[in-house]
Structures are given as structure tokens and as C-alpha cells.
Amino acid sequence: MLFVPLFALLGLVRAATYKLQDNYVGSNFLTGFTHQAIADPTHGRVTYVNQQTALAKNLTYANGNHFVMRADDTTTLTASGPGRNSVRIQSVKTYTTHVVVFDVRHMPQGCATWPAAWEVGANWPTNGEIDIIEGVNGISPNAGTLHTSPGCTMPSSRTQTGTIGSNDCNTADNGNEGCGVTVNKANNYGAAFNNNGGGFYAMERTSQFIKLWFWARNEGGIPSDLSNDSASSVDTDNWGTPWAYFPTSSSCNLASHMGPQNIVINLTLCGDWAGAVFGQDGCPGDCVSYVNNNPTSFQQAYWDFAAVRTYV
Ligand SMILES: *[C@@H]1O[C@H](CO)[C@@H](O)[C@H](O)[C@H]1NC(C)=O
Ligand SMILES: *[C@@H]1O[C@H](CO)[C@@H](O)[C@H](O)[C@H]1NC(C)=O
Ligand SMILES: *[C@@H]1O[C@H](CO)[C@@H](O)[C@H](O)[C@H]1NC(C)=O
């Protein structure tokens, strides 16, 4: 009789080695992602433009291993007119179980900014949402958060290095706060992240867990499969303890809350979160007037990606 471990038959355990699937670098972003000229559902003071407009105005710029997307930083707006031009992109492909790595040189920083790099499924919140990079008004730390349909809470004791905000992932609870965990490492967000050359944000999604990691650009011990641009696979077993660990348990079956998801990268200004805490975060006056009247304040309101890579 052949000896095959039961867990292997059931497919419960998989190797933690993943092969490179999509390698979004420079102009690959222009075909692998769609620019979404939609109204911002979070009520930001932005106008998301299409790809043609974004390229013409240099709000989107792809060259070599730079993919830059930014908010307009030259136009003074009238109070009654549309919001500041900005960019939101969504991957053409959807992903289920996979690893995604964001190699980021610069993220939008400063008062009013609300950048996010995340994944979301159709028919929200049925197919779930995983926020990997998100924050407002340039204030550290970064938060990683799940937003789900009802019936998903996280255990309060978990193997992770970050700090728990809430354990309730249900979008219907706590004003859609989600179950978030913030990073406890230097240079993880805003000006400090940018001044340090950015870094790597990574997420692993299986049916058993979702894990989030961060490495600042100049810290020691960045896994070689991330720092080596030519590596064709990654082994998450060598990545150490994540800052956020969201396990499947009796209080949340991740497989039933997370469906196929697109990668989304956006930059809004003010809106439901950044606008609500604008003064509290030390920003002057009211958020919308600030956006209207201070175009040069948005010179640092841009993303610069060295790469976004997916592995399966
Ligand atoms: C467009 O943006 C890129 C990236 O910031 C910059 O290097 C380039 O000089 C800009 N081009 C123009 C024509 O302003
Ligand atoms: C980077 O990865 C490539 C492809 O796997 C490998 O040939 C090369 O030796 C690696 N370089 C370093 C410095 O590890
Ligand atoms: C980006 O857009 C999505 C919906 O399209 C929204 O749920 C999310 O909160 C937005 N985030 C930012 C930072 O604009």
C-alpha cells in the first residue's frame, strides 16, 4: 500500500514555493491594468481620469522600470468645479490563492492624500477585500485590513508582529472598519518610507490564511527572492513572521469570504477617511479647500512602482 499522508490527499497543505506569474514593470502596467475614470465611491475631492488623459497630462508615466501615477499638482480648482485629477487602476486579471509583491519606491504623501494598494472582488463585500497598503494624510503606520461579508472575526491572539485595530472583518459592523493590523517597523509609510527609498509590501493568500509582510528598502534581511529582480519564484517559508496574520478558523472560513479579486491601486484626496481626520492629523483648515487652493502641496502625491509581481 502506498503511503500518502492524509493532509496531502485532502490538499490542505501546499508547498510555500510559488512561481512568478505576472511581472508588471514599467509599460506592462498600461496593458495589465485598466485606468478607471469612475466617481470615487469614498467621496474624495478627485476626478479619476482615463488612460489617454492620464498619459497626456503625465499623471501616468511608464518608462524603464518606473511606473508613476499621481494627482495633478499644477491646477488651482474652483469650489464648484470637479475635483483634482488623479488615477485609479485595476488589474485586468483576477486572482484567488497567490502571492503578490509590491516593490514601491515612493507612495503618495502629505495632507489630504489617501492612497491604497489592495485587492477586491466583484459584488462587494461578497468576494471580500484585502487592503495591503493604506493610510491617510501621510500619517504612519500602514494598516493591512480585511473587509468581508458577515460571519468573519479574527482570534485576538495570533502569530504576527503588528498591532491589532479590530478583529471584526464584517463590513456591516463598526462603520466598515474591518479587521486591521498596523505595521510595527520603521519607515513603513509616508515621508519616512519615501525618504528611505520605499520598500516591499507582500501578501500571501491561501484557503487557510492571509499573511502580510513589509521590508523597508535599506533594512537588513530582505529575502533574496524579493531583492533579486530576476528571481523566478518565491518561498514564503523564508519570509519570517508576518506583520498581519489572518487565519481560517471556526470564526472565519476565509475560502467562503474571499473570491476572485482584482489588484487595485488608487489615490483619492479627502473623502470618507482622509477628510474626516484631516484636522486631527495636523492638517490646516478644511480638506476640500486645501485641495482646491494648494496644487503645489501635491508634488509628493505620487506612486512610483519598480514592480508589482504575482506568484502562484
Ligand atoms: C513625467 O513624469 C515623469 C515621472 O515623474 C518625469 O520624470 C518626467 O520628466 C515627466 N515628463 C514631463 C514632460 O513633464
Ligand atoms: C537572481 O535570480 C536568478 C534567477 O533565479 C539567479 O540566476 C541569480 O543567481 C540570482 N542572483 C542572486 C544575486 O541571487
Ligand atoms: C479606492 O476605490 C475604492 C472603490 O472604487 C474604494 O472602496 C476605496 O476606498 C478607494 N480607496 C482609495 C484610497 O481611494
Side-chain angles (χ1 to χ4, degrees), residues 22-296:
D22 296 306
N23 194 13
Y24 302 110
V25 176
S27 57
N28 297 344
F29 282 90
L30 300 178
T31 49
F33 287 77
T34 307
H35 281 59
Q36 296 186 295
I38 57 170
D40 176 19
T42 56
H43 314 107
R45 185 67 181 140
V46 290
T47 302
Y48 285 132
V49 299
N50 65 26
Q51 180 169 296
Q52 189 188 0
T53 304
L55 288 170
K57 293 183 181 294
N58 208 33
L59 300 178
T60 292
Y61 169 83
N63 188 28
N65 65 355
H66 287 265
F67 179 74
V68 174
M69 45 184 267
R70 72 173 101 240
D72 166 275
D73 62 4
T74 59
T75 312
T76 300
L77 308 174
T78 58
S80 57
R84 186 164 296 287
N85 284 344
S86 187
V87 176
R88 180 187 197 274
I89 61 171
Q90 173 172 299
S91 64
V92 173
K93 285 194 185 176
T94 59
Y95 301 89
T96 55
T97 56
H98 68 296
V99 168
V100 63
V101 175
F102 297 87
D103 181 349
V104 188
R105 291 194 189 87
H106 189 283
M107 69 166 66
Q109 76 180 66
C111 285
T113 60
W114 177 1
W118 52 302
E119 295 193 350
V120 65
N123 195 18
W124 187 89
T126 305
N127 289 297
E129 170 178 341
I130 306 169
D131 300 331
I132 301 157
I133 310 177
E134 191 176 22
V136 294
N137 298 318
I139 304 287
S140 191
N142 181 65
T145 308
L146 306 188
H147 298 269
T148 69
S149 48
C152 179
T153 57
M154 287 296 137
S156 48
S157 176
R158 292 178 262 160
T159 307
Q160 59 187 12
T161 61
T163 303
I164 292 172
S166 164
N167 286 318
D168 187 347
C169 311
N170 181 356
T171 58
D173 294 342
N174 308 327
N176 186 25
E177 180 185 353
C179 49
V181 183
T182 54
V183 181
N184 272 332
K185 250 186 175 185
N187 305 322
N188 70 76
Y189 194 81
F193 175 89
N194 293 334
N195 293 341
N196 196 37
F200 296 90
Y201 272 97
M203 187 270 287
E204 179 181 11
R205 172 181 162 191
T206 73
S207 60
Q208 296 304 301
F209 59 77
I210 290 164
K211 293 179 180 176
L212 302 174
W213 290 268
F214 167 70
W215 295 271
R217 181 75 59 195
N218 71 355
E219 76 173 86
I222 299 178
S224 58
D225 44 17
L226 293 185
S227 56
N228 181 353
D229 281 349
S230 313
S232 55
S233 64
V234 292
D235 183 352
T236 56
D237 279 351
N238 297 330
W239 288 3
T241 307
W243 103 72
Y245 174 59
F246 304 99
T248 276
S249 72
S250 56
S251 63
C252 184
N253 178 6
L254 284 174
S256 68
H257 292 283
M258 296 286 161
Q261 298 183 348
N262 296 92
I263 302 167
V264 180
I265 303 167
N266 50 1
L267 166 58
T268 196
L269 304 173
C270 307
D272 297 340
W273 186 12
V277 296
F278 188 73
Q280 198 178 310
D281 282 347
C283 296
D286 80 280
C287 194
V288 169
S289 307
Y290 181 84
V291 171
N292 292 347
N293 299 324
N294 297 289
T296 57

